[in-house]
Amino acid sequence: MKQLKPHPPTAAQKLLLLFLRSDLAEDVTGDLDERFNRVLKNRSHFRAKIDYWFQVINYIRPFALRKGRLQTFMHYAMIQNYFKIGWRNLMRQKMYSAIKIGGLAVGLAACLLIALFLKHELSYDRSYKNGDRVYRILRESEMKGNRSTGLHFPSPFIRAVRDEFPEIENAGHYCDSDYFGAGENEVRRADQAESIHEEGFAFMDQELIEILELPFIRGSSSNALTEPNTIVITESKAHKVFPGEDPVGKLLVLNNDNQRTYRITGVIRDFPATSHLQFNFLMTTVGKEFWPGESVNWESGNYMDYVLVRKDTDIRALEDKLRVIVKNHMLPSAVAQGSGKQVTEWLQSMSFHLQPVQDIYMNEAGVGDGLQHGDRKHNWLFGAIAVFILVIACINFINLSTARSTGRAKEVGLRKVSGSSRGSIIRQFLIESVLFSLLAVIIGLILVWISISYFSQLLGRTFSVNLGDWWLLPVVFIMAILVGILAGIYPSFYLSSFQPAKVLKGNTSLGLKGASARGFLVSFQFVISVILIISTIVIYRQMNFIMDKKLGYNREQVMVIESAHTLGNAIQALKNELIKLPPVQHVSISSFLPVEGSMRDNGPTWKEGMNEDNGVESQHWRVDHDYVKTLGLEIVEGRDFNPAMASDSQAVMINQTMARALQLDRPVGQIVSSLRGDHTIIGVVKDFHSDNLRQVIRPMEFILDLSPNSMLVKLNTTDTKAAIESVTAVWKKFSPNQSIRFSFLDQSYKNMYDDVLRMGKLFTAFSCLAIMVACLGLFALSAFMIEQRSKEISIRLVLGASLGAIVHLLTINFTKLVTISILIAAPVAWYLMNEWLKDFSYKTEITIDIFILAGIVSLLIALLTISYQSVRAAVVNPADRLRSE
Amino acid sequence: MTDMEEEILFRLTTSDYPQGSLALSEKISVSLNRNIPLGEFHQTLIALEDEGFIQSVKTGSRKSYRITEPGKTALQQEWDYYKSRYTA
């Protein structure tokens, strides 16, 4: 079928012809169409359309406006009059105007801030030139009835993909595993002695550089990683390590190991903040084998693979076709290696999925790729909050406009008597509303400008507002007009419906008309506010639950020295020196820590009568004799590793979950097996949380083995600063050219829940904003209602009513509304928070006291807001007011 | 005279043929180093035409523009003014 040629947006063309002078029409439409086609050559259809709209809106200038029809439609003098009257009203009722405009400004500012956040979240990986043809390969397979998704492939896999499928233009891979020397390293220039710690190392092939089209500043992109021991570094690292020099051709030494010397072949621009990949050092895979024979081994899985497909490739068909690799390579290799039935069945069940690169950030796809990912749920949630705050502000606008209708009734009556149509009065109020909205936008932009750094800090990202951005002003302008129309449409229809005969006779009950609609809107505002308050309390409870949770180990005062492996054989001597320090209680060498991001080793464990295929999938942690003591783990059965017992090299400690999974009633003394051989269980440790509380505790075993990336130092001191200094002094003796790098276990634990902490803060901030805007509206509305009933209040006071009775009279209706709101909001908030908590395996309870607390808080805030006005009305001398009446 | 007006007159002076508005606007966007919306550009063109500094001619269905003698004089005066300021 022939594809339709993209054409400019019809609505924009119609709008243009509606207002444009006819003598300009031909020239202007010709220019715009031509420009549209030119933009289309370099940009997407969507961008071309946006540009077209922008250009059309830019023609709304006096010189281009059509005379005649448009002039009668909106006569310039009339518009001027509308603005003048609008401005006078604004200045006459300063408090109400301030609340109307201020509320809208806060709402718009919240919307803009959240829009910036959403724009950032949705702009990941859009910078690749061929981004629409780049895919990450995922595999799906089934084992014991459980389907799982993965993304690690053996080294030769990518060659098969590249060579055997004509649909694939290019294919490349990378490996970022610490285990093989990527991730973090100590790095130094070959001509200097001192190393510095750097992160973001990856092994990458030349093909992936080409697929991602990484922009080179120095060196050639076509052969940067084609030779052994070559490395490409980012611009910021080049400035850091080689300030003011051209690094190309220079040498870098990793971890003080001369075997790991790399020649720099290129400098690329830093990966943009909106890239799912964030590396600083790209080391070649040419000539690199993680172990002998690795490059031809089909049984491992260390690489993440990407492909660039040819144009018009049928992705579903290609995904099916990729299964040939299993048949031709993976299965034959598994059979040749003597793998069991379960492995071959697992391979036979394997299928492949190509994930678009632009989808990776928002869709982790359940593969645990260790990358930072966005959360669609959060995006929706924040978007909803922004809309809610704006709705609350619009409701204030509507409520105040309709409530204060008495003040405008005579004006409407007079205009109608003088010949104004209802349509022109509607236009007048809409224009007034848009004027208010435009002012609100200006204030909102100032609020955004003031709060943007705080907002960036809150979300841990960098946002900026650049007024020069081509999209910003048109978007803000359109938003102002839309909000102005939305907030003004009901008041304008309402006000324009007044009968001149009635209002000119002095019917003053008009402001009280529509009270039920206002009551509904106030309730709606408080429903939203109460939902936000309940959500905030639940999020904070969950945060406290996480922070106070007994994890089964002691994370206090545990110093984690990183990159300890760079000391080589001296690491044991360092441990012996550290333990002699008075503030140091225990020292242990192990890279396996109970926090996310540390080393993990999975594999099957089985007992007698079982085998590898039906074993329990478990964690194998390599630890030393002091690990259990250092982390304060509790032994519930058996004993700890003992350095005096040589037989412990064949011993293992397990956790309670492992004992249950293997159905061991008396585990101590029993033999368990893993790919490392047979081991005797000498002890059982009480279950502890080794990962995020979102995950359940998994079966685990400890074996004695050296894993030297980290060293744990348990302190027992009140003077942590002095303890750190003494540990540092010992480190310097062993490694004078490399500074010590350490963290504390409790801080690393806290860092795992950064997203929850951030969400808590964000909810608090936006809940406060929402309730503040709602209360402002309530304050103004109650002030107006009391003003309306001032004569009644005065007569009641004269007849002997007490202050309490008057306050009760004036607050009871609002109290009822807020109470109804709480009753409606509670189940909604319960449902939403229950959904949110489903992400956590260990979570707080949503108890009734949360709802009671939220109810009391919102009721108190509402009562305080109304009471101020009520008490003020009740203490005024009634004689003064009645005299003036 | 604004930067854009001066730039339009200068571009038309250096061209032997009348220039179309879109092509002219693109050249001027480059020389002024900013994205000029077509609405703003047309407004300036019409103002210059009203002052008699440029003249439109129909080429096909669309208009092209060329500089007039008063336009050349105005541009020269603008340059002379700047020259006098910097040489004084």
Side-chain angles (χ1 to χ4, degrees), chain A residues 281-345:
Chain A
F281 299 87
L282 307 174
M283 302 172 284
T284 185
T285 53
V286 174
K288 174 77 189 173
E289 284 200 315
F290 297 141
W291 68 86
E294 186 256 347
S295 62
V296 290
N297 181 290
W298 282 91
E299 266 68 56
S300 56
N302 299 311
Y303 292 92
M304 264 75 94
D305 292 4
Y306 289 71
V307 292
L308 172 71
V309 300
R310 292 192 195 282
K311 280 179 186 159
D312 304 323
T313 298
D314 181 343
I315 297 300
R316 295 287 88 82
L318 179 59
E319 284 173 346
D320 284 343
K321 227 174 143 184
L322 283 173
R323 299 195 65 228
V324 173
I325 297 179
V326 178
K327 200 177 125 217
N328 290 354
H329 300 283
M330 297 172 96
L331 266 172
S333 172
V335 172
Q337 296 283 327
S339 299
K341 190 179 161 214
Q342 202 170 349
V343 174
T344 51
E345 278 176 6

Side-chain angles (χ1 to χ4, degrees), chain A residues 151-407:
Chain A
L151 79 164
H152 293 96
F153 293 93
S155 179
F157 187 89
I158 203 68
R159 283 196 298 278
V161 170
R162 196 163 43 228
D163 298 342
E164 297 173 19
F165 300 90
E167 297 90 336
I168 288 170
E169 197 173 309
N170 203 351
H173 63 186
Y174 77 87
C175 166
D176 62 353
S177 168
D178 292 41
Y179 197 80
F180 298 118
E184 303 175 17
N185 283 297
E186 306 303 316
V187 61
R188 67 173 172 84
R189 297 168 54 149
D191 56 358
Q192 288 180 0
E194 192 162 349
S195 295
I196 50 171
H197 180 81
E198 288 295 348
E199 295 175 356
F201 284 81
F203 291 99
M204 192 178 274
D205 61 10
Q206 172 66 26
E207 286 77 10
L208 189 53
I209 283 196
E210 286 164 13
I211 291 171
L212 299 177
E213 293 178 272
L214 299 179
F216 273 68
I217 300 168
R218 290 176 189 278
S220 164
S221 65
S222 57
N223 56 3
L225 294 180
T226 50
E227 288 176 32
N229 296 326
T230 48
I231 192 168
V232 170
I233 65 176
T234 56
E235 190 179 8
S236 58
K237 295 302 164 190
H239 286 311
K240 186 175 172 186
V241 185
F242 299 94
E245 297 173 48
D246 179 359
V248 173
K250 300 215 161 100
L251 301 177
L252 283 179
V253 180
L254 267 52
N255 303 326
N256 245 342
D257 179 357
N258 287 329
Q259 300 294 314
R260 293 194 71 190
T261 302
Y262 286 89
R263 182 168 54 85
I264 300 169
T265 50
V267 178
I268 52 168
R269 283 202 196 290
D270 289 7
F271 282 81
T274 50
S275 164
H276 76 283
L277 296 176
Q278 293 292 336
F279 297 123
N280 294 313
F281 299 87
L282 307 174
M283 302 172 284
T284 185
T285 53
V286 174
K288 174 77 189 173
E289 284 200 315
F290 297 141
W291 68 86
E294 186 256 347
S295 62
V296 290
N297 181 290
W298 282 91
E299 266 68 56
S300 56
N302 299 311
Y303 292 92
M304 264 75 94
D305 292 4
Y306 289 71
V307 292
L308 172 71
V309 300
R310 292 192 195 282
K311 280 179 186 159
D312 304 323
T313 298
D314 181 343
I315 297 300
R316 295 287 88 82
L318 179 59
E319 284 173 346
D320 284 343
K321 227 174 143 184
L322 283 173
R323 299 195 65 228
V324 173
I325 297 179
V326 178
K327 200 177 125 217
N328 290 354
H329 300 283
M330 297 172 96
L331 266 172
S333 172
V335 172
Q337 296 283 327
S339 299
K341 190 179 161 214
Q342 202 170 349
V343 174
T344 51
E345 278 176 6
W346 175 69
L347 283 170
Q348 275 165 343
S349 74
M350 193 176 280
S351 60
F352 298 99
H353 173 58
L354 295 178
Q355 183 184 27
V357 71
Q358 292 164 346
D359 184 46
I360 294 173
Y361 177 71
M362 289 313 289
N363 184 8
E364 195 246 2
V367 292
D369 53 16
L371 304 171
Q372 194 190 15
H373 288 278
D375 188 336
R376 280 204 177 92
K377 254 204 274 187
H378 284 185
N379 289 356
W380 280 107
L381 204 63
F382 292 143
I385 291 174
V387 173
F388 282 160
I389 295 178
L390 194 60
V391 167
I392 291 177
C394 285
I395 288 175
N396 280 352
F397 195 92
I398 295 168
N399 273 349
L400 290 177
S401 302
T402 55
R404 296 201 64 79
S405 55
T406 36

Side-chain angles (χ1 to χ4, degrees), chain A residues 31 34 38 55 59 61, chain B residues 21 26 38 42-43 62:
Chain A
D31 279 358
E34 202 177 328
R38 287 192 196 184
Q55 298 299 339
Y59 269 102
R61 294 162 181 266
Chain B
S21 48
E26 282 171 352
L38 282 174
H42 258 124
Q43 188 174 3
R62 312 238 305 263

Side-chain angles (χ1 to χ4, degrees), chain A residues 668-807:
Chain A
V668 175
Q670 303 225 32
I671 308 282
V672 287
S673 310
S674 68
L675 296 173
R676 292 174 165 269
D678 298 340
H679 292 87
T680 309
I681 299 172
I682 57 160
V684 179
V685 291
K686 195 174 175 182
D687 277 343
F688 66 100
H689 291 275
S690 57
D691 287 292
N692 198 307
L693 289 184
R694 290 183 172 98
Q695 291 158 9
V696 292
I697 295 174
R698 290 181 288 175
M700 177 185 288
E701 63 175 45
F702 294 159
I703 41 175
L704 281 179
D705 198 357
L706 188 65
S707 171
N709 282 22
S710 322
M711 183 180 269
L712 304 166
V713 181
K714 171 73 179 171
L715 303 174
N716 185 12
T717 176
T718 48
D719 189 355
T720 313
K721 196 169 169 253
I724 293 171
E725 279 168 10
S726 52
V727 170
T728 308
V730 175
W731 171 272
K732 266 193 178 159
K733 277 203 297 189
F734 284 84
S735 184
N737 293 328
Q738 187 188 315
S739 56
I740 187 170
R741 213 167 52 80
F742 65 87
S743 58
F744 276 90
L745 200 55
D746 54 349
Q747 190 54 44
S748 305
Y749 176 78
K750 214 173 153 194
N751 292 345
M752 282 201 295
Y753 301 99
D754 259 357
D755 58 334
V756 186
L757 292 169
R758 272 205 296 270
M759 200 167 157
K761 284 181 194 164
L762 204 72
F763 255 83
T764 312
F766 283 112
S767 301
C768 288
L769 274 184
I771 205 144
M772 188 185 90
V773 177
C775 283
L776 278 176
L778 196 62
F779 180 80
L781 200 60
S782 59
F784 168 74
M785 291 301 169
I786 289 163
E787 200 180 304
Q788 288 285 84
R789 298 174 75 177
S790 59
K791 197 195 265 181
E792 177 199 341
I793 295 165
S794 303
I795 293 170
R796 281 178 186 271
L797 283 171
V798 169
L799 293 176
S802 65
L803 179 97
I806 297 289
V807 171

Side-chain angles (χ1 to χ4, degrees), chain B residues 33-68:
Chain B
N33 195 23
R34 73 180 174 96
N35 194 5
I36 299 169
L38 282 174
E40 185 187 346
F41 187 72
H42 258 124
Q43 188 174 3
T44 314
L45 279 182
I46 286 174
L48 285 172
E49 197 176 4
D50 289 348
E51 285 181 80
F53 292 163
I54 61 173
Q55 190 182 30
S56 62
V57 284
K58 270 273 189 196
T59 43
S61 61
R62 312 238 305 263
K63 280 181 190 168
S64 296
Y65 295 87
R66 66 172 167 224
I67 193 163
T68 59

Side-chain angles (χ1 to χ4, degrees), chain A residues 471-483:
Chain A
W471 58 273
L472 185 67
L473 287 180
V475 165
V476 166
F477 182 71
I478 292 169
M479 196 165 153
I481 292 182
L482 280 180
V483 168

Side-chain angles (χ1 to χ4, degrees), chain A residues 824-835:
Chain A
I824 297 170
V828 180
W830 179 83
Y831 172 76
L832 292 175
M833 282 296 101
N834 225 18
E835 286 295 305

